[in-house]
Short mmCIF file of all heavy atoms in Angstrom, two decimals:
data_model
loop_
_atom_site.label_atom_id
_atom_site.label_comp_id
_atom_site.label_asym_id
_atom_site.label_seq_id
_atom_site.Cartn_x
_atom_site.Cartn_y
_atom_site.Cartn_z
N MET A 1243 25.05 -4.25 92.52
CA MET A 1243 26.09 -3.35 92.05
C MET A 1243 25.48 -2.45 90.97
O MET A 1243 24.83 -3.18 89.98
CB MET A 1243 27.27 -4.08 91.61
CG MET A 1243 28.26 -3.21 90.82
SD MET A 1243 29.66 -4.15 90.16
CE MET A 1243 29.00 -5.32 89.06
N ALA A 1247 27.93 4.03 83.03
CA ALA A 1247 28.86 4.31 81.98
C ALA A 1247 29.25 5.74 82.10
O ALA A 1247 28.53 6.65 82.50
CB ALA A 1247 27.99 4.05 80.59
N VAL A 1253 35.15 2.89 80.38
CA VAL A 1253 35.41 3.35 81.68
C VAL A 1253 34.09 3.44 82.44
O VAL A 1253 33.21 4.12 82.03
CB VAL A 1253 36.08 4.72 81.67
CG1 VAL A 1253 36.31 5.31 83.12
CG2 VAL A 1253 37.48 4.81 80.98
N LEU A 1255 31.88 3.51 86.19
CA LEU A 1255 31.79 3.86 87.62
C LEU A 1255 30.91 2.78 88.24
O LEU A 1255 29.83 2.42 87.72
CB LEU A 1255 31.13 5.17 87.81
CG LEU A 1255 31.09 5.70 89.29
CD1 LEU A 1255 32.45 5.86 89.87
CD2 LEU A 1255 30.27 6.98 89.35
N ASP A 1263 24.46 -0.75 109.24
CA ASP A 1263 23.63 -0.72 110.47
C ASP A 1263 24.59 -0.19 111.56
O ASP A 1263 25.64 0.43 111.26
CB ASP A 1263 23.18 -2.12 110.80
CG ASP A 1263 24.18 -3.11 111.13
OD1 ASP A 1263 25.28 -2.86 111.46
OD2 ASP A 1263 23.87 -4.37 110.99
N PHE A 1268 28.78 -3.66 105.28
CA PHE A 1268 29.33 -4.66 104.50
C PHE A 1268 28.94 -4.36 102.96
O PHE A 1268 27.90 -3.86 102.74
CB PHE A 1268 28.53 -6.06 104.87
CG PHE A 1268 28.94 -7.16 103.86
CD1 PHE A 1268 30.07 -7.93 104.12
CD2 PHE A 1268 28.18 -7.47 102.81
CE1 PHE A 1268 30.46 -8.91 103.19
CE2 PHE A 1268 28.46 -8.48 101.90
CZ PHE A 1268 29.62 -9.18 102.13
N MET A 1269 29.98 -4.76 102.09
CA MET A 1269 29.76 -4.63 100.75
C MET A 1269 30.62 -5.66 99.97
O MET A 1269 31.68 -5.94 100.40
CB MET A 1269 29.95 -3.27 100.08
CG MET A 1269 31.36 -2.80 100.19
SD MET A 1269 31.46 -1.13 99.66
CE MET A 1269 33.31 -0.99 99.40
N PHE A 1272 33.91 -7.26 94.69
CA PHE A 1272 34.05 -8.04 93.45
C PHE A 1272 33.39 -9.38 93.62
O PHE A 1272 33.36 -10.03 94.67
CB PHE A 1272 35.56 -8.36 93.24
CG PHE A 1272 35.89 -9.32 92.08
CD1 PHE A 1272 35.80 -8.80 90.70
CD2 PHE A 1272 36.19 -10.59 92.33
CE1 PHE A 1272 35.98 -9.75 89.74
CE2 PHE A 1272 36.23 -11.53 91.24
CZ PHE A 1272 36.26 -11.04 89.94
N ARG A 1275 30.54 -13.54 89.14
CA ARG A 1275 29.33 -13.67 88.36
C ARG A 1275 28.73 -12.38 87.83
O ARG A 1275 28.34 -12.16 86.75
CB ARG A 1275 28.32 -14.55 89.15
CG ARG A 1275 27.00 -14.72 88.51
CD ARG A 1275 25.92 -15.24 89.48
NE ARG A 1275 25.78 -14.37 90.62
CZ ARG A 1275 25.86 -14.77 91.91
NH1 ARG A 1275 26.07 -16.00 92.27
NH2 ARG A 1275 25.62 -13.92 92.84
N GLY A 1278 30.97 -10.52 85.31
CA GLY A 1278 30.73 -11.10 83.98
C GLY A 1278 29.44 -10.76 83.34
O GLY A 1278 29.44 -10.38 82.19
N VAL A 1287 44.92 -10.53 88.15
CA VAL A 1287 46.03 -11.19 88.40
C VAL A 1287 46.96 -10.56 89.45
O VAL A 1287 48.02 -11.06 89.85
CB VAL A 1287 46.90 -11.60 87.12
CG1 VAL A 1287 45.99 -12.41 86.23
CG2 VAL A 1287 47.40 -10.26 86.40
N ASN A 1297 47.66 16.18 98.52
CA ASN A 1297 48.31 16.77 97.26
C ASN A 1297 49.29 15.93 96.54
O ASN A 1297 49.93 16.37 95.54
CB ASN A 1297 49.04 18.14 97.66
CG ASN A 1297 48.03 19.13 98.11
OD1 ASN A 1297 46.87 19.15 97.72
ND2 ASN A 1297 48.46 20.03 99.04
N LEU A 1302 50.17 10.19 85.13
CA LEU A 1302 49.23 9.32 84.66
C LEU A 1302 49.97 8.03 84.00
O LEU A 1302 50.69 8.08 83.10
CB LEU A 1302 48.39 9.98 83.53
CG LEU A 1302 47.56 11.20 84.03
CD1 LEU A 1302 47.23 12.18 82.90
CD2 LEU A 1302 46.30 10.71 84.63
N ARG A 1315 39.69 1.57 93.88
CA ARG A 1315 38.80 2.11 94.91
C ARG A 1315 39.61 2.72 96.01
O ARG A 1315 40.87 2.33 96.12
CB ARG A 1315 37.83 1.09 95.51
CG ARG A 1315 38.52 -0.04 96.25
CD ARG A 1315 37.43 -1.23 96.47
NE ARG A 1315 37.98 -2.23 97.17
CZ ARG A 1315 37.89 -2.53 98.54
NH1 ARG A 1315 37.19 -1.72 99.20
NH2 ARG A 1315 38.53 -3.62 98.98
N THR A 1316 39.08 3.59 96.76
CA THR A 1316 39.75 4.18 97.87
C THR A 1316 39.17 3.67 99.24
O THR A 1316 38.00 3.80 99.44
CB THR A 1316 39.61 5.69 97.85
OG1 THR A 1316 40.25 6.23 96.63
CG2 THR A 1316 40.36 6.53 98.92
N VAL A 1317 40.11 3.16 99.99
CA VAL A 1317 39.46 2.55 101.34
C VAL A 1317 39.80 3.45 102.57
O VAL A 1317 39.16 3.17 103.56
CB VAL A 1317 40.18 1.18 101.57
CG1 VAL A 1317 39.67 0.15 100.48
CG2 VAL A 1317 41.72 1.22 101.59
N GLY A 1336 42.80 10.97 73.80
CA GLY A 1336 43.17 12.20 74.47
C GLY A 1336 42.18 12.81 75.37
O GLY A 1336 42.50 13.73 76.10
N TRP A 1338 39.66 12.84 78.82
CA TRP A 1338 39.76 12.21 80.14
C TRP A 1338 38.44 12.25 80.88
O TRP A 1338 37.49 13.02 80.53
CB TRP A 1338 40.82 13.04 80.99
CG TRP A 1338 40.48 14.50 81.15
CD1 TRP A 1338 40.63 15.56 80.35
CD2 TRP A 1338 39.85 15.04 82.37
NE1 TRP A 1338 40.19 16.72 80.88
CE2 TRP A 1338 39.59 16.53 82.19
CE3 TRP A 1338 39.38 14.55 83.57
CZ2 TRP A 1338 39.06 17.32 83.01
CZ3 TRP A 1338 38.81 15.39 84.48
CH2 TRP A 1338 38.72 16.72 84.21
N GLY A 1356 44.39 0.28 77.67
CA GLY A 1356 44.33 1.41 76.65
C GLY A 1356 44.15 2.74 77.26
O GLY A 1356 44.01 3.70 76.47
N PHE A 1361 45.76 9.59 90.02
CA PHE A 1361 44.88 10.15 91.04
C PHE A 1361 45.68 11.24 91.83
O PHE A 1361 46.90 11.24 92.00
CB PHE A 1361 44.26 9.16 91.94
CG PHE A 1361 45.30 8.25 92.77
CD1 PHE A 1361 45.71 8.78 94.04
CD2 PHE A 1361 45.72 7.07 92.35
CE1 PHE A 1361 46.62 7.99 94.75
CE2 PHE A 1361 46.70 6.37 93.07
CZ PHE A 1361 47.04 6.88 94.25
N TYR A 1378 52.39 -6.49 86.40
CA TYR A 1378 53.17 -5.21 86.19
C TYR A 1378 54.43 -5.70 85.53
O TYR A 1378 55.19 -6.60 85.89
CB TYR A 1378 53.51 -4.54 87.42
CG TYR A 1378 54.50 -3.43 87.37
CD1 TYR A 1378 54.13 -2.25 86.70
CD2 TYR A 1378 55.80 -3.53 87.95
CE1 TYR A 1378 55.07 -1.18 86.64
CE2 TYR A 1378 56.71 -2.48 87.89
CZ TYR A 1378 56.32 -1.36 87.13
OH TYR A 1378 57.20 -0.33 87.09
N CYS A 1385 54.61 6.79 81.47
CA CYS A 1385 53.88 7.86 82.16
C CYS A 1385 53.59 9.02 81.24
O CYS A 1385 54.43 9.64 80.69
CB CYS A 1385 54.91 8.45 83.35
SG CYS A 1385 54.15 9.68 84.31
N ARG A 1391 48.89 19.85 78.26
CA ARG A 1391 47.90 20.83 77.87
C ARG A 1391 46.90 20.32 76.84
O ARG A 1391 45.74 20.68 76.75
CB ARG A 1391 48.47 22.09 77.37
CG ARG A 1391 49.19 22.89 78.41
CD ARG A 1391 49.80 24.14 77.91
NE ARG A 1391 50.65 24.75 78.93
CZ ARG A 1391 51.18 26.02 78.85
NH1 ARG A 1391 51.05 26.68 77.75
NH2 ARG A 1391 51.81 26.46 79.91
N LEU A 1404 54.90 15.27 93.48
CA LEU A 1404 55.21 14.29 92.36
C LEU A 1404 56.41 13.55 92.66
O LEU A 1404 57.45 13.95 93.13
CB LEU A 1404 55.47 15.06 91.09
CG LEU A 1404 54.25 15.95 90.59
CD1 LEU A 1404 54.74 16.80 89.33
CD2 LEU A 1404 53.02 15.16 90.15
#
Side-chain angles (χ1 to χ4, degrees):
M1243 166 180 68
V1253 176
L1255 184 64
D1263 61 26
F1268 171 84
M1269 68 179 192
F1272 174 76
R1275 180 189 59 232
V1287 297
N1297 295 330
L1302 297 156
R1315 66 190 178 104
T1316 300
V1317 296
W1338 65 276
F1361 62 87
Y1378 174 68
C1385 184
R1391 291 182 187 185
L1404 301 170

